[in-house]
Amino acid sequence: MVLTYHMQDVIMAGDGYLLVIVLDVHPQLAEQESIVHNYLSACISFANIHLASNVRNTLAVIAANHLETRFLYPQDTGEKVERQKDGRLELLCQVDESIEKELRRMMMHGGKAEQTESLLSGAIGRGLLYIKRQETEDVLGKKVHARILVIKISSDTGSQYLNYINTYLTAQKISTPIDVCVVGNDCGLLQQGADISGGYYHCIQEVSELLQCLILMYQADVGTRKKLNVPPMDSVDYRAACFCHRTLVEMGNVCSNCLSVYCKAVPLCSTCNVIFQTERPLMKIVKKKK
Ligand SMILES: [Zn+2]
Ligand SMILES: [Zn+2]
């Protein structure tokens, strides 16, 4: 009952929203078949709900694995929209088919990768560009109401730290919230992104909870969300990743020239090549005689 009321609220939000879903499809997922199935069907169902809840709502889905990022929807194939065949809205059918087709293509590309974690930061960047392009291509030059939803399932390291921070600051600048839903372990880096850009972060333990969580917490837009009684955000883990080992550090050395973070004292900044004068003798404090 409560949900219906709030969904109505969303529907009344006239202009419609562009939702960009950044979907983590790391091969790690394939370890258990039931997980893949539940995970993907929850994500696709959520995309369907978003489109069906307001006729003006639009959607983009970008997938990321450890090798590449790829637009699953929309596709510029120029194919004709098929006529309704199973009583469903044509658009929803088209979305499902496009996502399935592109995911298959993505899975077929094998190969070795330097990275082992999903290239989510790259996918978020593409999402931001897509939003910006929609805005510039709008004939009336209207502001596009958009938000990004990152759904993440694989584990990660801090190796994309800088890329993440850059996308977060960009999102903040074009006032696009980045929502994050993590399955499994908490992800400090993505939590920072949600906090910086004004999005919502939540971590669930089981894939089976995913669809319910998406509908209850992520379906409403940012304005409506204030009226909902969603669980409060945990305190944000604002540790930075050091530039030498890409691990999150609590305390470190910071380059005074470019603000790079190092977990240990280093003689040279690897980012801006500044030499640190570490062995400078400490100045004696001479007390003035009165
Ligand atoms: Zn380090
Ligand atoms: Zn430096």
Side-chain angles (χ1 to χ4, degrees):
M1 230 19 212
V2 180
L3 181 66
T4 352
Y5 164 71
H6 286 119
M7 275 168 88
Q8 208 114 64
D9 239 11
V10 180
I11 294 162
M12 280 190 282
D15 278 342
Y17 262 86
L18 163 61
L19 176 69
V20 179
I21 299 181
V22 171
L23 192 61
D24 179 16
V25 286
H26 195 273
Q28 216 174 304
L29 252 180
E31 281 164 16
Q32 253 181 297
E33 205 178 309
S34 61
I35 290 186
V36 188
H37 181 257
N38 286 344
Y39 177 74
L40 290 178
S41 61
C43 298
I44 295 171
S45 306
F46 182 66
N48 278 221
I49 291 170
H50 169 74
L51 286 175
S53 65
N54 185 338
V55 73
R56 292 204 181 110
N57 276 357
T58 46
L59 173 79
V61 184
I62 308 167
N65 61 12
H66 62 307
L67 291 167
E68 59 167 335
T69 61
R70 183 188 280 257
F71 265 90
L72 302 184
Y73 180 86
Q75 289 290 318
D76 300 321
T77 46
E79 280 171 27
K80 256 183 32 191
V81 179
E82 275 185 57
R83 291 291 303 275
Q84 192 182 52
K85 50 185 175 192
D86 53 0
R88 266 196 308 172
L89 197 65
E90 292 95 331
L91 178 65
L92 301 186
C93 188
Q94 211 188 339
V95 168
D96 292 1
E97 277 172 15
S98 171
I99 291 177
E100 195 191 320
K101 197 172 72 189
E102 288 304 314
L103 264 181
R104 270 181 208 283
R105 283 192 192 155
M106 202 166 169
M107 301 296 170
M108 288 207 288
H109 279 261
K112 268 194 174 168
E114 292 167 25
Q115 289 271 20
T116 50
E117 64 179 293
S118 291
L119 304 167
L120 287 176
S121 57
I124 298 174
R126 286 186 80 177
L128 287 169
L129 281 172
Y130 181 78
I131 292 167
K132 206 66 203 153
R133 198 171 74 215
Q134 297 305 108
E135 224 164 70
T136 44
E137 280 175 3
D138 193 285
V139 198
L140 299 171
K142 262 200 308 187
K143 166 109 183 87
V144 173
H145 298 287
R147 61 197 154 94
I148 293 180
L149 169 63
V150 183
I151 305 173
K152 178 177 164 24
I153 191 160
S154 63
S155 54
D156 72 327
T157 57
S159 64
Q160 298 170 62
Y161 178 73
L162 264 191
N163 311 21
Y164 273 123
I165 296 295
N166 284 335
T167 51
Y168 298 160
L169 296 178
T170 312
Q172 190 189 39
K173 191 154 188 203
I174 64 171
S175 29
T176 304
I178 300 178
D179 293 327
V180 182
C181 185
V182 178
V183 186
N185 295 330
D186 253 321
C187 176
L189 265 176
L190 284 171
Q191 197 179 10
Q192 291 182 16
D195 196 51
I196 293 172
S197 62
Y200 182 71
Y201 171 92
H202 191 68
C203 176
I204 53 170
Q205 293 310 315
E206 297 291 331
V207 177
S208 53
E209 300 165 34
L210 183 62
L211 183 59
Q212 188 189 16
C213 168
L214 289 175
I215 294 172
L216 288 175
M217 297 176 201
Y218 294 92
Q219 214 238 329
D221 56 79
V222 177
T224 315
R225 227 173 267 170
K226 287 180 189 135
K227 299 175 201 162
L228 288 171
N229 206 0
V230 291
M233 290 242 271
D234 298 335
S235 59
V236 185
D237 177 7
Y238 260 115
R239 283 180 302 167
C242 70
F243 284 39
C244 35
H245 309 91
R246 309 286 174 192
T247 45
L248 296 179
V249 286
E250 232 153 73
M251 233 197 256
N253 295 287
V254 177
C255 170
S256 51
N257 193 34
C258 69
L259 300 182
S260 298
V261 180
Y262 297 95
C263 60
K264 280 183 200 139
V266 285
L268 180 93
C269 174
S270 60
T271 312
C272 67
N273 291 330
V274 142
I275 298 165
F276 303 127
Q277 294 174 332
T278 43
E279 274 156 66
R280 192 168 47 189
L282 291 171
M283 298 260 256
K284 257 191 187 166
I285 302 164
V286 187
K287 273 189 186 168
K288 272 184 190 167
K289 278 177 187 163
K290 277 179 193 170

